[in-house]
Amino acid sequence: MSQPIQPVLPLAPVERVIRKAGADRVSESAGIELAKVLEDYGIEISREAITLAKHAHRTTVKDEDIRLAVARLKKS
Amino acid sequence: MSQPIQPVLPLAPVERVIRKAGADRVSESAGIELAKVLEDYGIEISREAITLAKHAHRTTVKDEDIRLAVARLKKS
């Protein structure tokens, strides 16, 4: 469950993020690796956000849940 | 420059990440917020990876640069 078989984030936009940071050339493996890292971090944030939404008696995850989740994960 | 005007990561796959974490309902603002957070983290990792690639006398960013960048950022 922790290792995604099918990456959810598409490769082309993730490679664009690396180029936006200033890279001239990006290997495909670098894009795949960053996509995995961002997906794992996204799942971690989302799990915390879901807990926070439930705590507020909501079934919809909102931007305020994501923001508080990120702030809490940065502290830990 | 630190606030991206046009988000690089598309919304639909980012919303899928939140659903993969177990959310039933996701507001559009939550997807936009998470896309921003992941892009910012992706840029931070990529900048470190570019520095590490240059240090290894390479112009191509490889998966090993991304991995070492993530490990270094986790320590700081």
Side-chain angles (χ1 to χ4, degrees), chain B:
Chain B
M1 273 301 284
S2 66
Q3 263 342 49
I5 296 152
Q6 282 268 44
V8 173
L9 296 174
L11 207 54
V14 173
E15 285 180 356
R16 240 172 278 140
V17 168
I18 308 177
R19 288 216 170 72
K20 194 174 169 183
D24 291 327
R25 288 159 173 270
V26 180
S27 78
E28 197 186 326
S29 63
I32 292 169
E33 186 62 30
L34 186 59
K36 279 185 206 163
V37 169
L38 294 185
E39 181 175 330
D40 285 349
Y41 187 46
I43 295 275
E44 194 183 352
I45 293 167
S46 299
R47 282 190 184 141
E48 179 71 15
I50 292 163
T51 301
L52 293 167
K54 280 182 188 161
H55 184 72
H57 306 288
R58 276 186 280 100
T59 53
T60 304
V61 175
K62 293 188 175 178
D63 54 342
E64 62 205 63
D65 303 314
I66 299 288
R67 264 193 293 269
L68 189 54
V70 171
R72 291 192 53 143
L73 290 173
K74 275 188 181 164
K75 273 185 213 160
S76 64

Side-chain angles (χ1 to χ4, degrees), chain A residues 26-40:
Chain A
V26 180
S27 79
E28 197 185 328
S29 64
I32 292 168
E33 186 62 30
L34 186 59
K36 279 185 206 163
V37 169
L38 294 185
E39 181 174 329
D40 285 350

